[in-house]
Amino acid sequence: MEKLIITVAVTGAEVTKQQQPNLPVTPDEIAQEVYRCWQAGASIAHIHARMPDGTPTQSKEVYAEIKKKIQEKCDIIIQFSTGGAVWHKPEERIQCLDALPEMATLSAGSCNFGDDVFMNSPSFMELLAKRMKELGIRPEIEVFEPGMIENALRLVKKGLLELPLHFDFVLGVPGAMTGNIEDLVFLVHKLPAGCTWSVAGIGRYELPLAVHSILMGGHVRVGFEDNIYYRKGELATSNAQLVERVVRIAKEVGREIATPQEARKILGITK
Amino acid sequence: MEKLIITVAVTGAEVTKQQQPNLPVTPDEIAQEVYRCWQAGASIAHIHARMPDGTPTQSKEVYAEIKKKIQEKCDIIIQFSTGGAVWHKPEERIQCLDALPEMATLSAGSCNFGDDVFMNSPSFMELLAKRMKELGIRPEIEVFEPGMIENALRLVKKGLLELPLHFDFVLGVPGAMTGNIEDLVFLVHKLPAGCTWSVAGIGRYELPLAVHSILMGGHVRVGFEDNIYYRKGELATSNAQLVERVVRIAKEVGREIATPQEARKILGITK
Amino acid sequence: MEKLIITVAVTGAEVTKQQQPNLPVTPDEIAQEVYRCWQAGASIAHIHARMPDGTPTQSKEVYAEIKKKIQEKCDIIIQFSTGGAVWHKPEERIQCLDALPEMATLSAGSCNFGDDVFMNSPSFMELLAKRMKELGIRPEIEVFEPGMIENALRLVKKGLLELPLHFDFVLGVPGAMTGNIEDLVFLVHKLPAGCTWSVAGIGRYELPLAVHSILMGGHVRVGFEDNIYYRKGELATSNAQLVERVVRIAKEVGREIATPQEARKILGITK
Amino acid sequence: MEKLIITVAVTGAEVTKQQQPNLPVTPDEIAQEVYRCWQAGASIAHIHARMPDGTPTQSKEVYAEIKKKIQEKCDIIIQFSTGGAVWHKPEERIQCLDALPEMATLSAGSCNFGDDVFMNSPSFMELLAKRMKELGIRPEIEVFEPGMIENALRLVKKGLLELPLHFDFVLGVPGAMTGNIEDLVFLVHKLPAGCTWSVAGIGRYELPLAVHSILMGGHVRVGFEDNIYYRKGELATSNAQLVERVVRIAKEVGREIATPQEARKILGITK
Ligand SMILES: [Mg+2]
Ligand SMILES: [Mg+2]
Ligand SMILES: [Zn+2]
Ligand SMILES: [Zn+2]
Ligand SMILES: [Zn+2]
Ligand SMILES: [Zn+2]
């Protein structure tokens, strides 16, 4: 089985310091947290930028600053979120690409998301795909419902994306698909041969989906964006604590951990 | 096995007379077409209103006129669409409820739909559910992705909808879930015990999904809203032609057809 | 979609004239019945031989006589059963191969079967596979449980069978797997790419599984071996009556029927 | 989620000391090994008896001696195998029940098993069920293929078994069903509500299936009967080592371990 790629989503667009006091928010905090997660075994850092007051921003300057500070510390793969916050406009969301991350997310359709609608129209998806292609950024296809796999494959047919793709199943969002094992099995069966996949379980789904994925040959995303608890009723002390548990379980079941360089190879990132 | 409820979606919001010359558009045409489908075996008429020039409208006056004209001809269950066209605003879409159909659709989430986003925010869903409850209208829950089943069950927990619900799986929309047999099996497994379900396959998915559903104990929707062809490359001559084929196949496999009164009983509509 | 191959299993080893007065038993009766089914659209005849008193036999002479009489009437593909009756010994069961049918069944494992155990040990499976290979007989892999697919693939690894294989899912036998749609979907997903498959539903499972298979791109087996009724409580008047219904439904859903020559091509039989 | 019941199958009928030097064979060795596993967290001991030379036996005297020696050490639930070795006759296999274990296995159908056929005819299954009922022994239904669930439910209909039943899915036996996650999900969906289940993965399937089951709310069987390795190429030092790993992983994912008394309650064993 391929080595395990662990993505850490350290900040997200919605969590606050009030909810999780250890949330990294400034570029310095984010870089420091990512560095600790890299030490723990993470090979991709999924990044959302924030303003000093914690407000989510898609400003390319802030993204560039975060990137620079992370790169000073370690060789982790830097992945920017083009999802932003649900109230960000498309033209804001796409900006972060100008800061030239190695990877960026491409959410492959629309769905409800908490009290809101997370909008990813076909034309916005095309715009994102084209821009990533121009800039040589490796997309990660975010999938919240099965139809989104089809949406991505439609972009492949149009020549805007190329197989094999790397998918991330984001499961358990209130408003979209649940994150039970039958959901994951169903989605994985839909992927074209040769594609790689990861799973990001939201809240109480994070840990079980991560462990199922380790066993199934998938990859794993954890972090405060998706889940702020270490166990029921107990806040995690850091993103690294969540990464460390994944590493321990992977070792128990005999799955090796990919370094960032090994992850680049698995994902077809040439650098 | 329960008798088969056939819904006919005679018009929809998108098809034009240019695409399908036999499309019923005016209240008179719609009532006449519904009547022929009722004669063929349909027990629910799923209705979209149009302006005289064919533009979709959610005007309660037009819906009321259609209802009146149908009721003069037959006892088919009248179901209005609250989906409207993708560019209709929520306040327009909900209007048709004031014309007091027996049933109305409630789309249980958002997804891409062709080049657009079909928006059904949580707050709009709640509004629809409340209004239908006040007016004694039986909802049909439209499901385009598995997460939408969860969204409906969330409204049940809030007391805005009541089990058992009646679901309609709309499969094969470009932008949402495909309509292969494994998709249908997966969705049906997710329903709470006692719920009823129907399937509306879009385009080439219409006929195979209808037949699978007949065999599985589900119900069936056909009609020009979903598919304008009788077979590949051959336009259907009428909505009734599509209903007639479903009836013939149901007879071949030994599934009896429900009358509107029998359908009311199956769906828990008290009238 | 590939044209539909209809197999008719006219006699079987267990049904009696007492249960189904129109059961063909003698070589003449069997040839006549097969001929009528070929006229109706069947392209494979699945044959079990009987003694004049109706007792099942694996005698190569009787099989040879049946083959000769069928070939005098039509070009249907002749497939002999190596399953025989559950009380037949392996050395009896294999005999029919000496009568050189174009195809023969190879049951890929053991399971309970009514009150008995249907024994197909690994060594007997190997013996059958080797003998068919020597004689140039195309095997049809009979699968009653998912593990039997693996058993067949184990013979492929040993070089005793070759991909692509043709499978027949025999579902609904008391003692083995049921024949619901989720069972069929599950099994079909397990097949290697390029394999073809058919389904033989036992008793009340025959018709629904046949129709699901028509829609899914699989092939169909019907006949008195599997089911003696036309509908609940009404005996079929002939095997041909069961074939005719499959043909009518296939036409309704737009699936064309394969001639024996077309079936040979689909199955990779060179003749 | 219910606490986790860990069954340890310390000996089996096939493994030899040549293959696994730490295999417990004599009553003393078995009792000592079971005791160590109980200390590690096992709450059921699945027992096969052996002659002093290692030959499997179903002798009630040997089973009685093993039972006595285990009970002197700890309160673990003692479960005897009625499967025995594949060459044991039914009348030998059933004997162990006379030694009055709290639980015993009931294999619910026939399948190939390595080079042999594992025979469990309908009449033998009925005999086992009746005898366990008379003696107040709680059955564990061993399932190697989906059809075996149906076979057990057929005994329920006959009044020979009672719901809720406890099932054990034995997956990965060469000759029967594989042990991939989709296999497990498929089987679990088939169980009647209220039933409990465990999984015994054979060989390389043991650990991944155990971990999936921990996450899914199932129970777990490990031990030398099913797998003699700790990891690829490295023999386990004891059955307890395999139990300990399951316990560590369960703790990592927040599933508590059942004591034998808690396991009795979960399984409906009154003692
Ligand atoms: Mg959606
Ligand atoms: Mg079997
Ligand atoms: Zn994100
Ligand atoms: Zn509509
Ligand atoms: Zn046969
Ligand atoms: Zn055992």
Side-chain angles (χ1 to χ4, degrees):
Chain A
M1 205 177 273
E2 228 166 42
K3 290 192 179 181
L4 178 70
I5 301 173
I6 303 172
T7 298
V8 64
V10 291
T11 306
E14 301 210 324
V15 182
T16 63
K17 291 234 186 207
Q18 283 66 44
Q19 295 168 314
Q20 171 46 275
N22 303 308
L23 184 80
V25 164
T26 66
D28 280 317
E29 285 171 355
I30 289 172
Q32 180 59 27
E33 184 81 346
V34 165
Y35 176 62
R36 291 171 63 197
C37 292
W38 170 82
Q39 289 179 308
S43 49
I44 302 179
H46 172 77
I47 302 293
H48 285 251
R50 300 281 185 107
M51 303 290 276
D53 69 350
T55 313
T57 176
Q58 289 295 100
S59 151
K60 69 178 163 189
E61 287 77 20
V62 185
Y63 273 103
E65 188 183 350
I66 295 169
K67 177 183 163 189
K68 182 168 161 290
K69 286 182 188 290
I70 293 174
Q71 288 180 330
E72 285 166 7
K73 291 180 188 292
C74 62
D75 72 338
I76 200 166
I77 298 168
I78 296 174
Q79 176 189 84
F80 288 167
S81 168
T82 65
V86 285
W87 43 266
H88 279 130
K89 288 176 197 151
E91 55 271 24
E92 293 177 274
R93 287 168 54 187
I94 200 171
Q95 278 186 67
C96 65
L97 298 181
D98 295 327
L100 296 178
E102 275 185 88
M103 295 185 82
T105 59
L106 193 166
S107 294
S110 305
C111 60
N112 286 358
F113 194 104
D115 294 335
D116 302 291
V117 178
F118 182 37
M119 299 272 290
N120 294 284
S121 71
S123 59
F124 182 54
M125 288 168 57
E126 293 197 9
L127 193 66
L128 280 176
K130 275 181 199 162
R131 191 78 181 124
M132 288 194 211
K133 200 168 190 182
E134 285 166 12
L135 298 173
I137 298 169
R138 174 80 171 145
E140 174 175 283
I141 308 301
E142 305 299 304
V143 165
F144 297 71
E145 292 277 17
M148 298 196 191
I149 297 174
E150 295 304 312
N151 292 345
L153 298 179
R154 213 169 280 124
L155 294 183
V156 171
K157 276 188 198 143
K158 290 194 170 184
L160 299 173
L161 291 176
E162 276 168 45
L163 290 176
L165 285 168
H166 179 62
F167 289 88
D168 184 44
F169 301 123
V170 185
L171 301 179
V173 170
M177 200 175 185
T178 51
N180 298 310
I181 180 61
E182 57 266 31
D183 298 317
L184 182 59
V185 166
F186 181 74
L187 290 167
V188 171
H189 275 212
K190 286 190 169 275
L191 297 184
C195 289
T196 49
W197 58 274
S198 176
V199 65
I202 303 304
R204 65 180 177 87
Y205 290 111
E206 182 177 272
L207 181 59
L209 282 174
V211 180
H212 284 302
S213 183
I214 292 170
L215 298 164
M216 290 166 71
H219 302 285
V220 164
R221 179 173 113 179
V222 291
F224 289 169
E225 173 168 350
D226 302 332
N227 164 46
I228 58 175
Y229 292 97
Y230 186 71
R231 62 170 67 87
K232 197 172 177 182
E234 178 186 331
L235 287 172
T237 55
S238 69
N239 281 282
Q241 189 192 23
L242 298 171
V243 173
E244 285 158 4
R245 178 166 55 188
V246 169
V247 171
R248 285 196 308 273
I249 294 171
K251 284 187 176 159
E252 288 282 12
V253 301
R255 180 105 186 254
E256 289 180 80
I257 308 299
T259 63
Q261 275 311 105
E262 291 167 337
R264 283 182 180 93
K265 203 167 169 191
I266 292 168
L267 298 172
I269 297 177
T270 48
K271 197 198 172 174
Chain B
M1 206 177 272
E2 229 166 42
K3 290 192 180 181
L4 178 70
I5 301 172
I6 303 173
T7 297
V8 66
V10 290
T11 305
E14 302 210 325
V15 182
T16 65
K17 291 234 185 206
Q18 283 66 46
Q19 297 168 314
Q20 171 46 274
N22 303 309
L23 185 79
V25 163
T26 66
D28 279 318
E29 286 171 354
I30 289 173
Q32 181 58 28
E33 185 82 347
V34 165
Y35 175 62
R36 291 171 61 198
C37 293
W38 170 82
Q39 287 179 309
S43 49
I44 302 179
H46 172 78
I47 302 295
H48 286 250
R50 298 282 186 108
M51 302 291 277
D53 70 349
T55 313
T57 176
Q58 290 295 103
S59 150
K60 68 178 163 190
E61 285 76 20
V62 185
Y63 274 103
E65 188 183 350
I66 295 168
K67 177 183 161 188
K68 183 169 161 288
K69 287 183 188 289
I70 293 174
Q71 287 180 332
E72 286 166 6
K73 291 180 188 292
C74 62
D75 71 338
I76 201 167
I77 299 169
I78 297 175
Q79 176 189 83
F80 287 166
S81 169
T82 64
V86 286
W87 43 267
H88 278 132
K89 287 176 196 151
E91 55 272 25
E92 292 177 274
R93 289 168 54 187
I94 201 170
Q95 279 185 65
C96 65
L97 297 182
D98 294 328
L100 296 177
E102 275 186 85
M103 293 185 84
T105 59
L106 193 166
S107 294
S110 305
C111 60
N112 286 358
F113 194 103
D115 293 336
D116 302 291
V117 178
F118 183 36
M119 299 271 291
N120 294 285
S121 70
S123 59
F124 182 54
M125 289 168 56
E126 294 197 9
L127 193 66
L128 279 175
K130 274 181 199 162
R131 191 79 181 122
M132 289 194 212
K133 200 168 189 178
E134 284 166 14
L135 298 173
I137 298 168
R138 175 81 172 143
E140 174 175 284
I141 307 301
E142 306 299 305
V143 165
F144 297 71
E145 293 277 17
M148 297 195 193
I149 297 175
E150 295 304 314
N151 291 346
L153 298 180
R154 212 169 281 121
L155 293 183
V156 171
K157 275 188 199 143
K158 288 193 172 186
L160 299 173
L161 292 175
E162 275 168 47
L163 292 176
L165 285 168
H166 179 62
F167 290 88
D168 184 44
F169 301 122
V170 186
L171 300 180
V173 171
M177 200 175 186
T178 51
N180 298 309
I181 180 60
E182 58 265 31
D183 298 318
L184 183 58
V185 166
F186 181 74
L187 290 167
V188 171
H189 274 212
K190 286 190 169 277
L191 297 185
C195 290
T196 49
W197 58 275
S198 176
V199 66
I202 303 305
R204 66 181 177 86
Y205 290 112
E206 181 177 272
L207 182 58
L209 283 175
V211 180
H212 284 303
S213 182
I214 291 170
L215 298 163
M216 290 166 72
H219 303 285
V220 164
R221 181 173 112 178
V222 291
F224 289 169
E225 172 167 351
D226 302 332
N227 164 48
I228 58 175
Y229 293 98
Y230 185 71
R231 63 170 67 86
K232 197 173 178 184
E234 178 187 331
L235 286 173
T237 55
S238 69
N239 281 282
Q241 190 192 22
L242 298 172
V243 173
E244 285 158 5
R245 178 167 53 187
V246 169
V247 170
R248 285 196 307 274
I249 295 172
K251 283 186 178 160
E252 288 282 10
V253 301
R255 181 104 186 256
E256 290 181 79
I257 308 299
T259 63
Q261 276 310 107
E262 291 167 336
R264 283 182 180 94
K265 202 167 170 192
I266 291 167
L267 298 172
I269 297 176
T270 48
K271 198 196 172 176
Chain C
M1 205 176 273
E2 229 165 42
K3 290 192 180 181
L4 178 70
I5 301 172
I6 302 173
T7 298
V8 65
V10 290
T11 305
E14 302 210 324
V15 181
T16 65
K17 290 234 185 207
Q18 283 66 45
Q19 296 169 313
Q20 170 47 274
N22 302 309
L23 184 80
V25 163
T26 66
D28 279 317
E29 286 171 353
I30 289 172
Q32 181 58 28
E33 184 82 345
V34 165
Y35 175 62
R36 292 170 61 197
C37 293
W38 170 82
Q39 288 179 308
S43 49
I44 302 179
H46 172 78
I47 302 294
H48 286 250
R50 299 282 185 107
M51 303 290 277
D53 68 350
T55 313
T57 176
Q58 289 295 102
S59 150
K60 68 178 163 191
E61 286 76 19
V62 185
Y63 273 102
E65 188 183 349
I66 294 168
K67 177 182 161 188
K68 183 169 161 289
K69 287 183 188 288
I70 292 173
Q71 287 180 332
E72 286 166 7
K73 292 180 188 292
C74 62
D75 72 339
I76 200 166
I77 298 168
I78 296 175
Q79 176 189 83
F80 288 166
S81 169
T82 64
V86 285
W87 43 266
H88 278 131
K89 288 175 195 150
E91 55 271 25
E92 292 177 273
R93 288 167 54 187
I94 201 170
Q95 278 185 66
C96 65
L97 297 182
D98 294 327
L100 296 177
E102 276 185 86
M103 294 185 83
T105 58
L106 193 166
S107 294
S110 305
C111 60
N112 286 358
F113 194 103
D115 293 336
D116 301 292
V117 178
F118 183 37
M119 298 273 289
N120 294 285
S121 71
S123 60
F124 181 55
M125 288 168 56
E126 293 196 11
L127 193 66
L128 279 176
K130 275 181 198 162
R131 191 78 182 124
M132 289 193 211
K133 200 168 189 177
E134 285 166 13
L135 299 173
I137 298 168
R138 174 80 172 144
E140 174 176 283
I141 308 300
E142 305 298 304
V143 165
F144 297 71
E145 292 277 16
M148 298 195 191
I149 298 174
E150 295 303 313
N151 292 345
L153 298 179
R154 212 168 280 123
L155 294 182
V156 171
K157 275 188 198 143
K158 289 192 171 185
L160 299 172
L161 292 175
E162 276 168 47
L163 291 177
L165 286 168
H166 179 62
F167 289 87
D168 183 45
F169 300 123
V170 185
L171 301 180
V173 171
M177 200 174 185
T178 52
N180 297 309
I181 180 60
E182 58 265 32
D183 298 318
L184 183 58
V185 166
F186 182 74
L187 290 167
V188 171
H189 275 212
K190 286 191 168 275
L191 298 184
C195 290
T196 49
W197 58 273
S198 176
V199 66
I202 303 305
R204 67 181 176 87
Y205 291 111
E206 182 176 271
L207 182 58
L209 282 174
V211 180
H212 284 303
S213 182
I214 291 170
L215 299 164
M216 290 166 71
H219 303 285
V220 165
R221 181 173 112 179
V222 291
F224 289 170
E225 172 167 351
D226 302 331
N227 164 47
I228 58 175
Y229 292 97
Y230 186 70
R231 61 170 67 87
K232 197 173 179 184
E234 179 187 330
L235 287 173
T237 55
S238 69
N239 280 282
Q241 189 192 23
L242 299 171
V243 173
E244 286 158 5
R245 177 167 53 186
V246 168
V247 171
R248 285 197 307 272
I249 294 172
K251 284 186 177 161
E252 287 282 11
V253 302
R255 181 105 186 254
E256 290 180 80
I257 308 298
T259 63
Q261 275 311 106
E262 291 167 335
R264 283 182 180 93
K265 202 166 170 193
I266 292 168
L267 298 172
I269 297 176
T270 49
K271 195 196 173 177
Chain D
M1 205 176 272
E2 227 165 44
K3 290 192 179 181
L4 178 70
I5 301 172
I6 302 173
T7 297
V8 65
V10 290
T11 305
E14 302 210 323
V15 182
T16 64
K17 291 234 185 207
Q18 282 66 46
Q19 296 169 314
Q20 171 45 276
N22 302 308
L23 185 79
V25 165
T26 65
D28 280 318
E29 286 171 355
I30 289 173
Q32 180 59 27
E33 184 81 346
V34 165
Y35 176 61
R36 290 171 63 198
C37 293
W38 169 81
Q39 288 179 309
S43 49
I44 302 179
H46 172 77
I47 301 294
H48 285 251
R50 299 282 186 105
M51 303 289 278
D53 69 351
T55 313
T57 175
Q58 289 296 101
S59 150
K60 69 179 164 189
E61 286 77 20
V62 185
Y63 273 103
E65 187 182 350
I66 295 168
K67 176 183 162 190
K68 182 169 163 287
K69 286 183 189 288
I70 293 173
Q71 288 181 331
E72 286 166 6
K73 292 180 188 291
C74 62
D75 71 339
I76 200 166
I77 298 169
I78 297 175
Q79 177 189 82
F80 288 166
S81 169
T82 65
V86 285
W87 42 268
H88 278 131
K89 288 176 195 150
E91 56 271 25
E92 292 177 275
R93 288 167 56 187
I94 201 171
Q95 278 186 66
C96 65
L97 296 182
D98 294 327
L100 297 178
E102 274 184 87
M103 294 185 83
T105 58
L106 192 166
S107 294
S110 304
C111 60
N112 285 359
F113 193 104
D115 294 335
D116 302 292
V117 179
F118 182 36
M119 299 271 290
N120 294 284
S121 71
S123 59
F124 181 55
M125 288 168 57
E126 293 196 11
L127 193 66
L128 279 176
K130 275 181 200 162
R131 190 79 181 122
M132 289 194 211
K133 199 167 189 181
E134 285 166 14
L135 298 173
I137 298 168
R138 175 80 173 145
E140 175 175 282
I141 308 300
E142 306 298 305
V143 165
F144 297 71
E145 293 276 17
M148 299 196 191
I149 298 174
E150 294 304 312
N151 292 345
L153 298 179
R154 212 168 281 122
L155 294 183
V156 170
K157 275 189 199 143
K158 289 193 171 186
L160 299 173
L161 291 175
E162 275 168 46
L163 290 177
L165 284 168
H166 179 62
F167 289 88
D168 183 44
F169 301 123
V170 186
L171 300 179
V173 170
M177 200 175 187
T178 51
N180 297 310
I181 181 61
E182 57 266 32
D183 298 318
L184 183 59
V185 166
F186 181 73
L187 290 167
V188 171
H189 274 212
K190 286 190 170 277
L191 298 184
C195 290
T196 50
W197 58 275
S198 176
V199 65
I202 304 304
R204 66 180 176 87
Y205 291 112
E206 181 177 271
L207 181 58
L209 282 175
V211 180
H212 284 302
S213 182
I214 291 170
L215 298 164
M216 291 166 71
H219 302 285
V220 165
R221 180 172 114 179
V222 291
F224 289 171
E225 173 167 351
D226 302 331
N227 164 48
I228 59 175
Y229 292 97
Y230 186 70
R231 61 170 67 88
K232 198 174 178 183
E234 178 186 331
L235 287 172
T237 55
S238 69
N239 281 282
Q241 189 193 23
L242 298 171
V243 173
E244 285 158 4
R245 177 167 53 188
V246 169
V247 171
R248 285 196 308 273
I249 294 172
K251 283 187 176 160
E252 288 282 12
V253 300
R255 181 104 186 255
E256 290 181 80
I257 309 298
T259 63
Q261 275 310 107
E262 290 167 337
R264 284 181 180 94
K265 203 167 168 190
I266 291 168
L267 298 171
I269 297 176
T270 48
K271 197 195 171 174

